[in-house]
Amino acid sequence: MTRIQPGLAGAPLAVDLLVIGLGGTGSGVALDAASRGLSVLAVDAHDLAFGTSRWSSKLVHGGLRYLANGQIGVAHESAVERGILMESTAPHLTHPMPMLLPLMSSVSVAQAALAAAGLRAGDVLRLSARTSAATLPRPRRVSRNEALRLAPSLRQSGLRGGLLSWDGQLEDDARFVTCLARTAASLGANVRTRARVLSATGTGATVRDELTGETYEVTARGVINAAGVWAGTLVDSVKLKPSRGTHLVLRATTLPGLAAALTVPVPGTTSRFVFALPQPDGTIYVGLTDEETNGDIPDVPQPTEGEIGFLLDVVGAALERPLRRSDVIGTYAGLRPLLDSGGSTADLSRKHAVLTSSTGVVTVVGGKLTTYRQMAQDAVDAVALTPQPCRTHSLP
């Protein structure tokens, strides 16, 4: 019988580890724990990749932005995890993506020099992470003609070339999470969707089967809360400041011939960019924003017209034909589960945290999809249920 199924009928109610949440982090936790020989029950109130994990940019980031913000540790961790994904654990779900920063008239010589230095620093990160140049080529400057070959829709007036770099891209983020959960199940984890945790302590939880309405008491030697932006609803001491990242969906014909992702600087900033990302299905994603979200956490976040207009304006300024609202055939938004440490969400660290509550629940929050594996390792290490070491860095 498959170990991924809806509801709790037939599920084990006494396990070594209960995992709450089946996004990238929770599925990664289930995989890590099962690969160490622990009995695992992993549950989600909705479905695999229901929350933030399916609303990402579909990128496997090397951490260049974090380097620009001085978060060297986060940047190095991102580069390491990107290399593990692309070369060891999931090469079939990832591929290299060329990223073009067009040198337009609005980008001064000094700004171009700063950007080029940043890309070289990013390549040092790649080297330090021991990722092959065959996987991610070194950055370089390209001529005006080559920039137009990669992105024919660029505004030609004032264009003097571009900076070409490489990062990783997921084929599909929800498919990636599903593969994590299936691998965990193949190693013995019991994965259950439509199973909502009503309350939890470090030794178990009350869980409601969303198909039948029946409640169950699950006992466990350890409990890991990987519920993302909903983590604080289970553990009061966890204070989050969610940040909304919005993307637009365009048809390929809107930017015909686009052969590289466009990286367009946000005016008035030095480390913020808007991306136009060609997708395997032929669409183009334009994103993303960083907007603080207050109040109740919605199941499905909604972009605002202000965010849509901002993205259209920034990318459109780099194009021969500005983007119009009618070019947008879809939108989506995801919420980043950032720890509240004061300041705006754009300034909050993307470093993950592993926190243990007074009742013994281990919560893992922050981070991003690229670093799910390290987050899972740290969380499973924190519950300290087995002396077996993590082996997910080489587990396909």
Side-chain angles (χ1 to χ4, degrees):
M1 183 175 67
T2 178
R3 293 179 182 269
I4 298 181
Q5 60 190 94
L8 277 175
L13 301 182
V15 291
D16 292 327
L17 182 66
L18 173 65
V19 182
I20 305 169
L22 286 169
T25 303
S27 297
V29 168
L31 172 55
D32 187 302
S35 72
R36 300 195 205 193
L38 296 174
S39 61
V40 176
L41 174 62
V43 300
D44 194 284
H46 296 285
D47 203 350
L48 301 174
F50 177 82
T52 304
S53 293
R54 67 170 165 155
W55 304 125
S56 77
S57 298
K58 282 68 174 171
L59 290 176
V60 186
H61 272 306
L64 185 59
R65 177 185 173 186
Y66 313 113
L67 189 66
N69 290 337
Q71 299 177 36
I72 297 174
V74 178
H76 181 260
E77 180 179 87
S78 297
V80 169
E81 294 303 317
R82 176 185 64 183
I84 289 173
L85 274 169
M86 298 189 73
E87 295 188 338
S88 180
T89 60
H92 62 303
L93 298 174
T94 58
H95 60 259
M97 167 175 273
M99 313 276 290
L100 177 68
L101 195 162
L103 298 178
M104 309 169 290
S105 56
S106 59
V107 179
S108 69
V109 173
Q111 289 172 320
L114 182 63
L119 294 180
R120 288 194 294 271
D123 196 53
V124 172
L125 279 178
R126 176 193 63 79
L127 287 168
S128 69
R130 299 181 179 179
T131 303
S132 167
T135 300
L136 292 171
R138 298 188 63 184
R140 60 186 176 89
R141 180 157 180 164
V142 297
S143 68
R144 181 177 184 274
N145 286 341
E146 188 170 357
L148 288 170
R149 181 182 62 79
L150 292 168
S153 299
L154 285 174
R155 176 176 291 177
Q156 299 188 30
S157 176
L159 181 68
R160 59 185 189 276
L163 299 175
L164 183 65
S165 60
W166 298 78
D167 214 340
Q169 184 180 37
L170 286 169
E171 289 292 326
D172 182 86
D173 47 9
R175 179 186 174 198
F176 170 68
V177 174
T178 301
C179 287
L180 282 176
R182 290 180 63 190
T183 308
S186 74
L187 295 173
N190 207 295
V191 180
R192 298 297 181 115
T193 61
R194 274 76 179 185
R196 183 183 299 273
V197 173
L198 303 178
S199 62
T201 68
T203 57
T206 301
V207 187
R208 184 175 68 211
D209 186 320
E210 296 292 83
L211 299 181
T212 67
E214 187 174 355
T215 59
Y216 297 81
E217 296 299 323
V218 176
T219 60
R221 294 169 55 213
V223 175
I224 293 180
N225 173 17
V229 288
W230 296 281
T233 64
L234 294 172
V235 178
D236 291 339
S237 59
V238 175
K239 303 300 181 184
L240 300 180
K241 196 169 188 178
S243 162
R244 185 174 60 250
T246 286
H247 294 80
L248 316 180
V249 184
L250 312 177
R251 291 187 177 89
T253 52
T254 307
L255 297 175
L258 186 64
L262 286 181
T263 303
V264 183
V266 175
T269 70
T270 58
S271 61
R272 285 194 64 198
F273 302 89
V274 171
F275 304 104
L277 305 161
Q279 300 300 307
D281 66 0
T283 58
I284 297 169
Y285 295 164
V286 174
L288 73 168
T289 60
D290 195 328
E291 298 292 331
E292 183 176 339
T293 301
N294 298 306
D296 294 337
I297 303 298
D299 282 347
V300 180
Q302 297 298 321
T304 66
E305 285 298 322
E307 290 174 291
I308 294 170
F310 164 77
L311 294 172
L312 291 174
D313 289 345
V314 172
V315 173
L319 304 176
E320 197 69 58
R321 181 186 76 82
L323 296 176
R324 296 186 287 263
R325 184 63 175 85
S326 58
D327 293 322
V328 179
I329 60 170
T331 64
Y332 67 91
L335 297 178
R336 306 174 184 90
L338 304 178
L339 274 177
D340 188 357
S341 57
S344 72
T345 54
D347 296 328
L348 293 181
S349 173
R350 267 48 175 177
K351 182 174 177 58
H352 68 270
V354 177
L355 312 169
T356 302
S357 73
S358 59
T359 65
V361 176
V362 171
T363 297
V364 54
V365 291
K368 52 194 179 297
L369 191 56
T370 303
T371 60
Y372 84 93
R373 194 205 64 81
Q374 186 64 57
M375 295 170 68
Q377 177 180 337
D378 291 347
V380 176
D381 285 347
V383 294
L385 298 179
T386 173
Q388 293 297 320
C390 175
R391 63 187 187 95
T392 54
H393 63 279
S394 59
L395 182 65

